[in-house]
């Protein structure tokens, strides 16, 4: 039946015909543009999955198996965790964990405190600060293995420059085998690590200081505030979030430390295990060096999983605190 204009009733305005009632099964040009960012994320997501997510979950699953690296895997449940936390590997694990904690505390002190001090000095408009920025940051451009090798030469007990300098200055009593003494080996590596990374902290804190509104500091000076009062009551509170962030990064880096210890003391963490950390312990367990048939990739994967279980909660706690500060507008 057709209306007066010769159109069917289904074609009348206000009523949808059968073809118009069907849902659209294709994306419009607007939708394509709206979700085009997913294609931009895909390469990064692919790389993250292949090189981070898959290896992590693979090692997590491997921690429940006994596997020497070749041949079939044998499922043993939580036996690896028992061996690490309370079994035959417990003494070495807790010793390495203690060294990581000491490493974090002292490297944090040696990075944050001097970093703030030099950042305050460089923030002043003094001639030569640009050159000093380059000098301070230069060690950070060197590979950590190169730094470890060079400092190993400088600290050589026979002909190393450090001991020779002490003898020339009449301080021969300070000349000692720094990397061969159980009481000085770990502090020496901590010092070298802090020296190498100090420039990064200086530049980060300096950028934060220069980002503070100068009107506040100038107003404080007009009101009679000293430079120490300005630093303690204006600048330092603004730097606290940056200090917290760098401390969190230092915590993560410290519990993943391996290369500097490997370069200066090898995988055995000598002398007598005084520089052994979780990274070198994992290397010996997974790839040999303990002289036991009970170690292997499964037990090494357990150490990696435990490192993750130590670092991940602290990272989540930090992110939670930061989000709360953002919500409060701090």
């Amino acid at each position: 039946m057709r209306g007066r204009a010769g159109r069917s009733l289904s074609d009348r305005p206000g009523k949808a015909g059968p073809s118009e009632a069907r849902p659209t099964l294709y994306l419009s040009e607007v939708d394509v543009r709206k979700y085009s960012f997913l294609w931009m994320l895909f390469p990064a997501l692919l790389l993250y999955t292949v090189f981070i997510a898959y290896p992590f979950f693979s090692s997590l699953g491997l921690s429940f198996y006994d596997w020497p690296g070749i041949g079939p895997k044998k499922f043993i449940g939580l036996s690896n965790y028992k061996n690490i936390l309370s079994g035959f590997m417990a003494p070495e694990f807790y010793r390495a964990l203690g060294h990581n904690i000491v490493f974090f505390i002292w490297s944090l002190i040696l990075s944050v405190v001097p970093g703030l001090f030099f950042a305050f000095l460089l923030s002043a408009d003094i001639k030569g600060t640009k050159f000093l920025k380059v000098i301070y940051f230069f060690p950070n451009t060197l590979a950590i293995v190169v730094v470890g090798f060079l400092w190993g030469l400088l600290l050589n007990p026979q002909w190393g420059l450090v001991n020779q300098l002490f003898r020339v200055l009449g301080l021969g009593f300070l000349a000692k085998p720094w990397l061969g003494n159980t009481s000085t080996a770990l502090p020496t590596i901590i010092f070298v690590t802090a020296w190498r990374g100090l420039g990064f902290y200086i530049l980060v804190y300096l950028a934060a200081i220069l980002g503070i509104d100068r009107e506040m500091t100038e107003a404080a000076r007009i009101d009679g505030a000293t430079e120490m009062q300005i630093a303690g009551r204006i600048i330092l509170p603004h730097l606290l979030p940056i200090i917290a962030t760098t401390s969190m990064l230092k915590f993560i880096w410290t519990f993943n430390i391996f290369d500097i210890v490997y370069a200066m003391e090898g995988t055995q963490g000598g002398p007598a295990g005084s520089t052994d950390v979780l990274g070198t312990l994992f290397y010996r367990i997974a790839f040999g060096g303990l002289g036991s048939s009970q170690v292997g990739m499964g037990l090494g994967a357990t150490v990696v999983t435990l490192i993750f279980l130590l670092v991940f909660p602290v990272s989540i706690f930090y992110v939670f605190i930061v989000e709360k500060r953002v919500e409060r507008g701090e």
Side-chain angles (χ1 to χ4, degrees):
M1 180 177 183
R2 294 183 174 271
R4 296 177 181 178
R7 294 183 301 176
S8 63
L9 293 177
S10 61
D11 295 333
R12 291 178 183 177
K15 289 191 176 183
S19 60
E20 296 179 359
R22 296 174 183 174
T24 304
L25 299 180
Y26 58 88
L27 292 175
S28 64
E29 184 177 353
V30 175
D31 293 330
V32 171
R33 292 179 179 178
K34 182 178 180 180
Y35 297 103
S36 61
F37 72 94
L38 294 176
W39 291 105
M40 302 178 187
L41 292 177
F42 179 75
L45 181 62
L46 179 63
L47 292 174
Y48 180 86
T49 302
V50 172
F51 294 104
I52 296 179
Y54 172 74
F56 168 73
F57 287 107
S58 177
S59 63
L60 178 62
L62 189 60
S63 66
F64 298 103
Y65 288 84
D66 179 17
W67 187 50
I70 56 174
K73 302 175 184 177
K74 179 183 177 182
F75 181 78
I76 57 175
L78 297 176
S79 295
N80 284 330
Y81 292 91
K82 181 179 178 181
N83 290 332
I84 290 289
L85 297 175
S86 61
F88 70 99
M89 287 301 303
E92 294 198 47
F93 174 77
Y94 290 114
R95 180 184 63 185
L97 177 61
H99 291 161
N100 276 96
I101 295 174
V102 172
F103 210 111
F104 165 67
I105 294 173
W106 281 106
S107 61
L108 182 65
I109 294 173
L110 294 175
S111 298
V112 173
V113 176
L116 286 172
F117 175 75
F118 288 114
F120 279 123
L121 293 181
L122 293 175
S123 63
D125 190 11
I126 302 175
K127 185 178 180 180
T129 53
K130 293 183 179 180
F131 176 73
L132 290 176
K133 292 175 187 177
V134 175
I135 294 299
Y136 290 145
F137 191 74
F138 174 73
N140 204 260
T141 63
L142 301 175
I144 193 68
V145 177
V146 174
V147 171
F149 176 75
L150 292 177
W151 273 97
L153 297 178
L154 294 173
L155 294 169
N156 186 282
Q158 279 78 36
W159 42 263
L161 181 61
V162 173
N163 285 344
Q164 294 293 340
L165 184 61
F166 282 141
R167 296 187 182 100
V168 170
L169 296 175
L171 302 174
F173 64 94
L174 293 178
K176 59 183 67 179
W178 297 96
L179 296 175
N181 192 319
T182 56
S183 61
T184 59
L186 185 62
T188 300
I189 295 178
I190 293 173
F191 169 80
V192 172
T193 305
W195 171 84
R196 191 253 180 185
L198 181 60
F200 169 78
Y201 291 87
I202 293 175
L203 290 185
V204 170
Y205 297 149
L206 179 61
I209 292 173
L210 296 178
I212 297 175
D213 190 357
R214 287 186 174 271
E215 293 183 358
M216 291 190 298
T217 57
E218 292 299 331
R221 289 188 180 96
I222 294 173
D223 291 338
T226 64
E227 293 299 324
M228 291 296 296
Q229 290 174 330
I230 293 174
R233 298 183 182 182
I234 297 179
I235 297 178
L236 189 59
H238 282 81
L239 292 181
L240 289 179
I242 307 299
I243 295 174
T245 300
T246 53
S247 300
M248 185 68 252
L249 293 174
K250 174 63 73 173
F251 179 81
I252 296 173
W253 292 339
T254 300
F255 276 83
N256 288 279
I257 198 76
F258 169 77
D259 39 15
I260 186 66
V261 180
Y262 174 79
M264 299 185 73
E265 292 287 2
T267 59
Q268 298 300 319
S274 60
T275 60
D276 196 20
V277 292
L278 292 175
T280 53
L281 178 64
F282 156 74
Y283 186 92
R284 292 199 310 278
I285 292 176
F287 303 107
L290 289 178
S292 174
S293 60
Q294 301 181 33
V295 299
M297 299 298 294
L299 204 61
T302 306
V303 175
V304 173
T305 304
L306 291 174
I307 294 174
F308 171 78
L309 293 177
L310 289 170
V311 173
F312 184 71
V314 178
S315 305
I316 293 298
F317 176 74
Y318 170 75
V319 172
F320 175 78
I321 294 298
V322 170
E323 289 181 352
K324 288 298 182 182
R325 291 179 63 91
V326 172
E327 291 176 359
R328 294 196 299 263
E330 297 181 6

